[in-house]
Every structure is written in C-alpha cells, then in structure tokens.
Amino acid sequence: MGRPRTPLLDRERITTTALRLIDETGDFSVPAIARRLGAQTGSVYHHVDGRDGIVELLRERICAAMDPATLDLDPWDTALEAWARSYRAAFAAHPRVIPMLMTSPVRAPRVLEQYERAVNLLLEAGFDRAGIMPLIIALENLVLGSALDLAAPETMWELTDGTPTPRLAEALAAVGDGRADRAFEVGLTAFMNHARTLRGARVE
C-alpha cells in the first residue's frame, strides 16, 4: 500500500487529540492519543517530547486563542483589562486543561513572549519591577479561577430543609443568572482599582 496522502501524525493532530481527550475525560495519555489517531504509541514520540512536550503544545494552543493585540492598547489599564478578558475566554473554552497547565513550568516560546509583553507593559506604565510578577500572578489566579467557575453548575449551593439558611437563599435568589460573570466583574474591578493604586503610589 502507498503512504497516505495525509500523515496520521503531526504535532497539530497530536495536540488536537490530546485536547479532545482532556475535554472529555480531564486527562490524556500518549497511548490514548495513539489509539485515537490509529497509530503506534512509539510513533507519537517521534513528533513530541513525551507528555511534557504535549503539555506545552496544549499551552501554546490555548494561549493562541488569546488576543495579544490587547497588550498594545493604550492606556496600560485598558490593555491589562482587555488581556484579562481575552485570557479568561481562551481558558473558559477548555477549563479541564487548567489544572494540568497550572502545575507544570511554562516553557512554550510563544507563551513566554506574551508574558514578556505583559511585563514590558507594566514596566513602561511605571510599576515597581519587584511587584510586577505578583500582580500578573494575581490576575492569573482571578482569570483561571473564573474560567473554572464558568464550567461549574449555575447552582453551586444546594439548600436543604435540614440546614436553615434563609439569608443565603435570599442572596442566591437575588443573583439571578450569570453569577460567574458577575463575580468575575467584581474581582476584575477590585484588581484593576488596586493596580491603579499601586501605580499611582509609584509614579507620584
């Protein structure tokens, strides 16, 4: 038989298959990827640097959905807020990948370049160098936590007659639909106000 016109394996197909497995099951394995693609497990390793390499490909795939042009906006706080919203949307599309990416070092060049741009944005805005990474990490905590929250059930509190919680019931009823979005707006507003305060103290 001749060789197939379309290769069974390449980095794009491996990444897509790994992401589908994570969306479905919360994890992936190299043998599972090989089975999905109708290939031998060993063949997958010819294209990627093991599981860690696939994780970095996944990181690049998710981050490619973020809009890096947001970091070119002016002023700095408009840019940072737009980047946060783009960041959240990209990860909200694949929330099950978040724990995997949060527990492995960032190595993907395109992702590191985006961090470089975020750091440069804050440096040029006048932020203290020592405070920049804590600020970015805090923003990530807010964004990724909210992306996970978007994947959670709309009703996260199941009230029972055995535990009287009338005030909680009233508060939950008052929220209405879209509680995750509303919570994100509260958190992002508080974060941005704090960031502006930090910058103001620095540049005065």
Side-chain angles (χ1 to χ4, degrees), residues 11-199:
R11 290 161 70 91
E12 285 296 312
R13 285 184 176 82
I14 290 169
T15 306
T16 298
T17 303
L19 191 55
R20 285 175 180 164
L21 285 167
I22 294 168
D23 287 343
E24 294 168 10
T25 69
D27 202 356
F28 75 90
S29 70
V30 176
I33 291 172
R35 285 194 297 273
R36 284 283 180 100
L37 293 173
Q40 297 296 316
T41 299
S43 298
V44 176
Y45 287 106
H46 290 308
H47 297 270
V48 296
D49 186 17
R51 181 180 173 88
D52 289 345
I54 295 173
V55 169
E56 284 309 289
L57 290 173
L58 288 165
R59 195 189 305 277
E60 284 200 334
R61 173 69 65 84
I62 300 297
C63 289
M66 297 166 59
D67 182 4
T70 55
L71 293 169
D72 295 327
L73 297 174
D74 189 61
W76 68 270
D77 51 352
T78 298
L80 193 62
E81 182 173 337
W83 186 57
R85 294 185 186 281
S86 178
Y87 199 144
R88 178 182 183 242
F91 277 88
H94 303 281
R96 286 185 156 190
V97 82
I98 293 173
M100 187 176 300
L101 299 186
M102 289 297 290
T103 53
S104 66
V106 180
R107 301 186 183 93
R110 284 190 294 179
V111 180
L112 290 172
E113 287 170 6
Q114 200 159 152
Y115 279 103
E116 175 74 7
R117 292 180 65 182
V119 169
N120 190 58
L121 169 73
L122 296 176
L123 278 174
E124 291 188 347
F127 281 85
D128 177 39
R129 192 180 307 273
I132 286 177
M133 286 313 297
L135 198 64
I136 290 175
I137 293 167
L139 182 60
E140 285 188 318
N141 290 344
L142 169 64
V143 164
L144 295 176
S146 181
L148 285 171
D149 194 24
L150 282 170
E154 183 67 23
T155 303
M156 282 295 294
W157 293 264
E158 293 186 358
L159 308 187
T160 66
D161 293 336
T163 306
T165 52
R167 299 293 188 185
L168 175 59
E170 291 170 359
L172 289 172
V175 171
D177 295 332
R179 63 159 186 81
D181 288 331
R182 293 180 65 180
F184 176 67
E185 293 302 325
V186 170
L188 185 59
T189 298
F191 172 87
M192 293 304 303
N193 287 341
H194 180 63
R196 293 183 187 101
T197 299
L198 288 177
R199 178 186 178 268

